[in-house]
Amino acid sequence: MYDRHYGLTQEPFRLSPDHHFAYQHRAYKKARAYMAYAFMRAEGFVMVTGRPGTGKTTLVGALVDDLASERAHIANLVCSQLQADDLLSMVAHEFGVDLSITSKGQQLQHLTRYLQKLHREDRRALLIVDEAQDLSVTAMEELRLLTNIQVAGRPLLQIFLLGQPELRELILRPEMEQVHQRIVAASHLRPLEDDETEQYIRHRLLAASWQGNPALSNAVFPLIFKFSEGVPRRINLICSRLLLHGSVEDLTKLGAGDVRAVVEELQMENLAAGSQFSDADFDVEDVYEDFSPDSTAGGGAGGDPSHTEAGEESRAALWRRRARRQRSAE
């Protein structure tokens, strides 16, 4: 709806993961580099953790795209409190073992044969386990045993573990010592910083062919950062509703008052889980910069955003005024 109203080629703030919109912020680039490094080593476990909504599934989608030409068989498994035997059955099925084979010994035998076949064809086998924090200790141990399938000392299966922060707690348990020792890289996807939040929003808008309509006040970005706490999925929710609000009201500019209206609506619907706000948060001046693709394109490919000198001064003044009001309120 709002995408047509504003002449966008697609919705830039959908809640479902889409790696084609991925913004390569600092933590994302680090995690992606670690995964590429580990894949090159062709052994062990890689662990990527992060709060819900921080982009783990988006990262996996980008990884799968990266490896499309690497002659790799990639199996993607989403766990939901699986026990060891169920996990083995699902892994075996993902790698082509017939579901009618239910004996654990036969499943392992068929899986080993398939992995050996991939090795003879100079192909790789990669298992991506999402929501891995829900695995039981016995299921995690079953995964470790799968990495023991080798030819001439070379493991035939590599495993990437993705999960919420609880996954790290699971791996650090004493009984998980052997799994812990096999982790070759670990990274944590943290929420975005304030500057990254602005770059993220602009990047996704530009990916949808945004031409400056609607114009966004500089006051919008710190407000969205506060109420989303830098979590990309929450940013998407707020921005999607903000653009919908703008299209319904037929607005060509969106400012602090519009963010307030959207946040209040989300809180009434029990959808806003971020910070609470006060009147002082929205008592800010709206400053609009002239639209230029070159001046808004920071972050998409790793470059820093460039702004006009006047725009930077306006942004700095905005933050100083907010800081003074917060100190006065305290």
Side-chain angles (χ1 to χ4, degrees):
M1 178 178 178
Y2 70 74
D3 52 329
R4 294 192 298 272
H5 180 83
Y6 288 120
L8 303 175
T9 55
Q10 53 191 315
E11 293 184 39
F13 298 108
R14 296 180 62 86
L15 297 184
S16 53
D18 186 347
H19 63 277
H20 296 102
F21 276 97
Y23 165 64
Q24 298 188 37
H25 57 90
R26 291 181 286 272
Y28 179 93
K29 287 193 288 187
K30 180 179 179 180
R32 193 163 175 175
Y34 276 25
M35 296 174 86
Y37 161 78
F39 183 79
M40 181 180 65
R41 288 192 57 177
E43 62 178 349
F45 289 86
V46 176
M47 181 171 65
V48 178
T49 56
R51 290 170 55 185
T54 50
K56 299 183 296 296
T57 304
T58 300
L59 181 66
V60 169
L63 173 72
V64 171
D65 263 13
D66 289 346
L67 300 179
S69 61
E70 294 290 338
R71 295 180 55 79
H73 182 147
I74 302 173
N76 201 340
L77 188 65
V78 179
C79 291
S80 179
Q81 299 179 343
L82 293 175
Q83 296 301 315
D85 289 346
D86 292 332
L87 176 66
L88 177 60
S89 296
M90 291 186 68
V91 172
H93 175 63
E94 288 294 321
F95 283 104
V97 177
D98 196 309
L99 283 174
S100 63
I101 300 175
T102 57
S103 164
K104 179 177 179 179
Q106 288 183 319
Q107 287 175 344
L108 279 172
Q109 186 179 54
H110 282 73
L111 177 59
T112 300
R113 287 176 179 171
Y114 181 72
L115 296 178
Q116 290 171 341
K117 177 177 178 291
L118 291 179
H119 176 72
R120 289 193 300 270
E121 296 172 352
D122 195 27
R123 297 175 62 195
R124 298 275 300 280
L126 173 63
L127 174 65
I128 300 173
V129 183
D130 204 354
E131 300 296 341
Q133 78 279 348
D134 290 333
L135 290 174
S136 66
V137 172
T138 54
M140 191 69 77
E141 178 63 14
E142 194 72 55
L143 287 179
R144 182 190 69 82
L145 293 175
L146 290 178
T147 64
N148 289 337
I149 302 175
Q150 301 181 0
V151 169
R154 176 182 174 180
L156 299 185
L157 177 65
Q158 191 172 25
I159 301 175
F160 287 4
L161 301 173
L162 286 82
Q164 297 176 28
E166 294 81 4
L167 174 59
R168 289 181 293 173
E169 300 173 11
L170 173 62
I171 294 297
L172 290 174
R173 292 172 61 169
E175 58 268 40
M176 289 286 95
E177 177 66 21
Q178 293 196 66
V179 175
H180 190 197
Q181 290 179 359
R182 284 171 168 77
I183 294 179
V184 297
S187 188
H188 183 68
L189 281 176
R190 53 165 178 73
L192 303 179
E193 301 290 346
D194 51 358
D195 62 320
E196 293 174 327
T197 297
E198 176 175 351
Q199 294 168 27
Y200 173 89
I201 293 169
R202 292 183 182 275
H203 166 72
R204 292 186 74 106
L205 282 168
L206 288 170
S209 302
W210 177 56
Q211 296 296 318
N213 182 28
L216 300 179
S217 164
N218 288 338
V220 162
F221 304 108
L223 292 172
I224 293 176
F225 169 70
K226 177 173 182 177
F227 300 120
S228 67
E229 297 180 338
V231 176
R233 189 178 297 155
R234 291 184 186 173
I235 295 172
N236 286 1
L237 175 62
I238 296 172
C239 287
S240 179
R241 291 292 288 267
L242 181 61
L243 290 175
L244 179 61
H245 163 82
S247 67
V248 170
E249 300 295 332
D250 198 22
L251 302 175
T252 58
K253 292 184 177 181
L254 298 173
D258 301 301
V259 177
R260 179 171 193 160
V262 165
V263 171
E264 287 177 341
E265 287 178 0
L266 291 173
Q267 289 187 327
M268 289 178 60
E269 299 167 16
N270 295 318
L271 295 177
S275 303
Q276 297 298 311
F277 65 83
S278 65
D279 290 339
D281 289 314
F282 299 96
D283 185 17
V284 292
E285 178 185 357
D286 284 316
V287 178
Y288 297 91
E289 299 177 22
D290 292 336
F291 173 80
S292 167
D294 292 337
S295 67
T296 58
D304 292 329
S306 59
H307 299 280
T308 65
E309 184 177 347
E312 286 297 332
E313 291 175 353
S314 299
R315 185 178 292 103
L318 173 65
W319 280 99
R320 285 195 295 270
R321 287 194 295 272
R322 293 183 72 247
R324 285 197 296 270
R325 279 192 293 272
Q326 288 174 351
R327 286 195 295 269
S328 297
E330 294 171 354

